[in-house]
Amino acid sequence: MADPTIIYTHTDEAPALATHSFLPIIQAYAKTAGVEVETRDISLAGRILSQFPEFLTEGQRVGDALAELGALALRPEANIIKLPNISASVPQLKAAVAELQAQGYALPDYPEDPQSDTDRDIRARYDKVKGSAVNPVLREGNSDRRAPASVKNYAKAHPHRMGAWTADSKTAVATMGVNDFRANEKSVVIEADDTLRIELAGTDGTTTVLLESLPVIAGEVIDGTFLDVAALRAFLAEQIARAKAEGVLFSVHLKATMMKVSDPIIFGHVVRAFFPKTFETFGADLDAAGLSPNDGLGAILAGLAELPNGAEIKASFDAELADGPELAMVNSDKGITNLHVPSDVIVDASMPAMIRTSGHMWGPDGQEADTLAVIPDSSYAGVYQVVIDDCKAHGAYDPATMGTVPNVGLMAQKAEEYGSHDKTFEVPADGTVRVVNAAGDVLIEHAVKAGDIWRACQTKDVPIRDWVKLAVTRARATGDPAVFWLDPSRAHDRNLIAKVEAYLPDPAVVGGDTDGLDIRILSPEEATKLSVERIREGLNTISVTGNVLRDYNTDLFPILELGTSAKMLSVVPLINGGGLFETGAGGSAPKHVQQLVEENYLRWDSLGEFLALAVSLEHLAQTTHNPRAQVLADTLDRATGSFLDHDRSPGRKLGTIDNRGSHFYLALYWAQELAAQSEDAELAAAFGPLAEALAAKEETIVAELIAVQGSPADIGGYYQPDVAKASAVMRPSATLNETLATLG
């Protein structure tokens, strides 16, 4: 790797397609400052291929780019721009494998029920790729996520549409509150370096080791908890009956991607609960055919044609669907329900979108309707209920006047990665799950029954110290209140509160005193109430949260404030001095790809990439003492402001500029800013002719970009597009390509 170098990650879906268009611009401009921009493939397809070299030909093998970047993130020279990637559910993983096999890669099938050591090894390798496999590796720092001033000002000047709310809305959140992960949580702080073991002491006298070795260090917080599945089933049956009685849509909101072990299982229980008669009658047939409710209703229905009694089972599903409450829909035109695919309805994106749309989701009739939003675990469900109650009482928020809620998130060194690790288990038998130290002492234990879901997480002390410091840093920089969203009635949070209260007054931790700063500790519900009260007054409140709430809050508030979370600035100051710069959420990426393939029109908005690139260049300028890179950063900031002022984001319909056109305009405004700046005469001279040429050829370039719209586009694959085909599709303006090539 050359130095100085920026690593621009190649990921998935719409962000990956946009990269084919934007990266050549980045590389051409950065080169003028002596900065190399290299790519690393951390896409789902790339991650899969890296795990199975012995199944591939020499020419097909790829390195483990994720592991390489994980090592780089520990070094002070790290400068990584991370685009959204697929956090793969099992159906997505299987689809990617099938596509790669069709492209000539002799990958093994995903073993549903591994019986041999070979199958178990293959399953373990695939499991490394599932869920939130990327983020824990790269996030060697805590999260600083906020709306840049230019983006916030644009949202105020051009407010997005918000659905109206009424006091008589029936929309509500339903959550367990008892016998769930929150209620059953236990937490300990490790006194000295140790190695823990997680085991199940069965009621039959046997002991099963669930995890042989869990290394821990002094000061680390270790949690264990479980979800009582019998209580879950009873709760789900009650909510299905409630939705029907109240005449509202039934929906479930989970995170089957990041919570890759627990939430697909919970999703499967929801599917079973909605179709109890079908599973009672035909459950054995479905099990024998490998049709699991954990994979969603869509996968089951697709597999029924192979069963001799498939038509009978389909009729049973249809009858119960008609008899139950109306289901919220992912796509009512295509009959895709909330229960079709576990990764279709992700809580952190789906709940804010529902709140923004009058508390409505789409029903089977294609119309919006009030909704019962079922979030089984009560850990953070109350946050959404507070916002819903506020909207019922005071109406929708006004993006033209509302304040902002930036986030400082605890996530470094895999902090609080619930469900994204090897410490979540579907309990195989009745007994007691125990966390035991090397001396044999039991630190945490829970009496469980077969089928319960038990999980643990760990949070090291160094990330907690860094998190507290980052919160204080942001409070100093802004003058806004910083609120730690921690609940003293919850075991894990009590341990964090003790650490926060110890570190806040320590100048060595927070870099000085905290005099004059407004720093508070409130439960998530109380913190939400404070934040939305201040939002309505046009005031800002920094939310300082753990990892899961970081995920939720950095969608909830941006979607309400800006209409999307893709426009947030996401900086991860790495603990060892490097920088990770994230470009926003990718939740709508699949729909964008579908539209590109059908109409050669990509609506993906690359504003997040523009914002991340600017802070990446600024970080590089500071760490490598490269003033020319600072000029690039400053001019890119100004160009992004012009981009917003002139409303050059992708339009909503054919005949307007799409993602490719937005890249052209960013390149134009950036070149103009570089040509006009006075800090570096040589750079100004280099970009003057380019700025003039791009401006002179604007009409031709835009016409060439729009001309391709309206016809299908062949990119050669969804999970692994063909590079040449995708590049041709994403760079259709010969005039733009030739003009960029003149730089330098």
Side-chain angles (χ1 to χ4, degrees):
M1 186 175 74
D3 188 22
T5 302
I6 293 172
I7 301 297
Y8 198 88
T9 55
H10 172 78
T11 57
D12 304 284
E13 298 176 322
L17 291 171
T19 297
H20 286 280
S21 169
F22 188 42
L23 184 61
I25 297 170
I26 298 173
Q27 290 173 324
Y29 282 50
K31 204 168 187 65
T32 63
V35 176
E36 296 293 328
V37 181
E38 301 178 2
T39 60
R40 295 293 186 277
D41 184 356
I42 58 170
S43 66
L44 176 58
R47 301 195 320 264
I48 290 171
L49 294 175
S50 73
Q51 296 299 311
F52 297 99
E54 75 273 28
F55 289 83
L56 309 177
T57 67
E58 189 68 34
Q60 292 176 330
R61 291 174 187 165
V62 299
D64 191 340
L66 179 57
E68 178 191 348
L69 293 188
L72 175 62
L74 298 172
R75 303 207 300 268
E77 69 269 23
N79 191 314
I80 303 167
I81 297 177
K82 192 261 176 187
L83 279 70
N85 62 279
I86 291 174
S87 295
S89 64
V90 171
Q92 288 173 303
L93 181 63
K94 290 178 180 176
V97 171
E99 179 180 298
L100 289 167
Q101 289 171 335
Q103 290 176 348
Y105 297 90
L107 292 166
D109 291 333
Y110 177 80
E112 287 283 2
D113 184 22
Q115 298 296 319
S116 67
D117 288 344
T118 299
D119 282 351
R120 281 187 283 272
D121 173 63
I122 291 170
R123 173 69 176 263
R125 288 197 247 177
Y126 275 128
D127 285 348
K128 286 184 180 179
V129 176
K130 284 194 315 190
S132 186
V134 171
N135 293 338
V137 175
L138 298 186
R139 287 173 170 169
E140 285 292 329
N142 291 309
S143 169
D144 171 10
R145 211 153 180 231
R146 58 192 187 272
S150 59
V151 173
K152 186 64 175 172
N153 291 337
Y154 178 83
K156 287 182 174 182
H158 305 86
H160 61 272
R161 187 182 70 84
M162 298 281 276
W165 276 84
T166 59
D168 59 358
S169 168
K170 296 179 181 178
T171 290
V173 173
T175 192
M176 292 176 69
V178 295
N179 296 314
D180 61 1
F181 290 124
R182 185 195 183 283
N184 293 325
E185 185 177 73
K186 297 180 181 180
S187 181
V188 296
V189 179
I190 301 300
E191 294 182 358
D193 295 3
D194 205 339
T195 300
L196 310 183
R197 182 177 72 256
I198 303 175
E199 62 187 25
L200 172 66
T203 55
D204 61 359
T206 62
T207 298
T208 303
V209 175
L210 301 176
L211 185 65
E212 179 65 45
S213 176
L214 175 58
V216 293
I217 58 178
E220 192 164 355
V221 180
I222 301 295
D223 307 326
T225 187
F226 77 100
L227 181 71
D228 184 317
V229 164
L232 171 66
R233 290 171 177 164
F235 164 78
L236 292 172
E238 291 169 2
Q239 303 317 312
I240 291 167
R242 173 185 171 185
K244 185 172 182 179
E246 296 182 1
V248 296
L249 301 177
F250 176 89
S251 64
V252 65
H253 302 261
L254 296 165
K255 187 142 186 171
T257 49
M258 189 175 87
M259 313 298 196
K260 66 184 181 183
V261 179
S262 60
D263 283 27
I265 298 171
I266 297 171
F267 188 85
H269 285 297
V270 180
V271 176
R272 287 180 181 274
F274 205 89
F275 302 99
K277 296 176 184 177
T278 301
F279 280 95
E280 182 180 355
T281 306
F282 301 107
D285 296 336
L286 295 172
D287 288 344
L291 299 177
S292 170
N294 296 13
D295 294 340
L297 180 61
I300 294 175
L301 296 177
L304 291 181
E306 305 298 321
L307 274 62
N309 57 346
E312 186 182 2
I313 299 174
K314 174 67 163 57
S316 181
F317 275 117
D318 290 343
E320 290 201 87
L321 194 61
D323 188 51
E326 290 194 329
L327 268 176
M329 306 296 286
V330 170
N331 189 322
S332 54
D333 292 339
K334 296 182 179 180
I336 300 174
T337 73
N338 177 268
L339 300 183
H340 262 61
V341 182
S343 57
D344 268 354
V345 181
I346 303 299
V347 59
D348 45 338
S350 60
M351 287 300 300
M354 185 187 81
I355 293 168
R356 180 188 165 192
T357 315
S358 309
H360 293 163
M361 294 185 73
W362 296 98
D365 60 357
Q367 302 298 312
E368 295 179 18
D370 289 346
T371 305
L372 181 64
V374 175
I375 306 174
D377 177 43
S378 61
S379 294
Y380 304 118
V383 168
Y384 297 114
Q385 187 63 59
V386 168
V387 179
I388 289 170
D389 290 342
D390 183 72
C391 290
K392 288 181 182 180
H394 304 292
Y397 302 102
D398 183 355
T401 61
M402 66 191 294
T404 186
V405 184
N407 180 263
V408 172
L410 173 61
M411 67 178 191
Q413 299 179 3
K414 305 183 183 180
E416 297 187 357
E417 280 287 343
Y418 278 110
S420 298
H421 43 56
D422 58 353
K423 296 181 284 294
T424 302
F425 310 96
E426 188 172 26
V427 177
D430 294 359
T432 302
V433 174
R434 304 186 298 214
V435 179
V436 184
N437 67 13
D441 302 320
V442 176
L443 305 182
I444 294 172
E445 63 179 353
H446 293 98
V448 294
K449 290 185 169 53
D452 287 348
I453 306 166
W454 190 96
R455 71 187 188 193
C457 83
Q458 55 193 124
T459 310
K460 294 178 173 59
D461 188 63
V462 168
I464 296 171
R465 288 172 178 260
D466 183 75
W467 175 58
V468 174
K469 177 183 178 181
L470 184 57
V472 172
T473 300
R474 294 304 304 155
R476 284 196 191 110
T478 62
D480 296 326
V483 181
F484 286 84
W485 293 40
L486 297 171
D487 190 341
S489 70
R490 183 175 167 186
H492 169 80
D493 285 12
R494 283 196 297 273
N495 282 328
L496 259 65
I497 289 171
K499 287 178 175 286
V500 170
E501 290 178 338
Y503 297 148
L504 275 175
D506 186 344
V509 173
V510 300
D513 62 51
T514 56
D515 293 348
L517 301 182
D518 184 353
I519 299 177
R520 315 182 201 181
I521 299 175
L522 297 173
S523 73
E525 288 81 3
E526 290 301 317
T528 307
K529 289 178 184 177
L530 174 69
S531 299
V532 296
E533 286 171 4
R534 290 176 56 84
I535 272 179
R536 290 189 183 276
E537 296 171 4
L539 301 174
N540 308 331
T541 314
I542 302 167
S543 68
V544 188
T545 71
N547 202 359
V548 178
L549 255 181
R550 173 201 60 79
D551 227 17
Y552 293 2
N553 281 8
T554 56
D555 272 316
L556 173 60
F557 293 107
I559 287 173
L560 298 178
E561 294 173 28
L562 312 174
T564 176
S565 57
K567 296 181 179 180
M568 294 289 281
L569 177 62
S570 183
V571 178
V572 182
L574 300 176
I575 290 174
N576 290 333
L580 175 68
F581 309 96
E582 299 184 302
T583 67
S588 58
K591 292 181 181 178
H592 291 331
V593 179
Q594 292 163 13
Q595 185 178 15
L596 176 81
V597 171
E598 293 170 2
E599 301 178 329
N600 204 344
Y601 188 88
L602 187 66
R603 269 190 59 195
W604 176 256
D605 190 341
S606 288
L607 179 61
E609 287 98 289
F610 306 162
L611 299 172
L613 177 61
V615 288
S616 168
L617 285 165
E618 181 174 50
H619 178 81
L620 184 140
Q622 294 169 354
T623 56
T624 65
H625 310 292
N626 184 335
R628 187 161 281 182
Q630 186 65 57
V631 173
L632 287 181
D634 293 340
T635 52
L636 177 54
D637 269 336
R638 295 197 290 271
T640 301
S642 297
F643 175 91
L644 291 170
D645 290 342
H646 290 91
D647 195 17
R648 299 302 189 184
S649 293
R652 290 186 170 272
K653 58 184 180 180
L654 297 184
T656 59
I657 63 163
D658 71 348
N659 176 263
R660 296 163 288 195
S662 71
H663 293 161
F664 158 66
Y665 278 108
L666 190 281
L668 169 62
Y669 299 143
W670 195 4
Q672 289 174 335
E673 291 290 348
L674 281 160
Q677 55 80 30
S678 58
E679 293 89 343
D680 189 315
E682 192 173 319
L683 268 185
F687 278 93
L690 178 64
E692 291 178 9
L694 290 175
K697 299 173 183 177
E698 175 184 357
E699 186 175 331
T700 300
I701 291 170
V702 171
E704 290 174 349
L705 293 173
I706 291 177
V708 300
Q709 297 176 12
S711 302
D714 179 13
I715 57 174
Y718 183 91
Y719 294 97
Q720 179 161 272
D722 179 270
V723 172
K725 289 181 177 180
S727 293
V729 167
M730 292 305 300
R731 302 190 73 200
S733 170
T735 304
L736 174 58
N737 301 341
E738 292 164 1
T739 305
L740 283 173
T742 65
L743 182 62

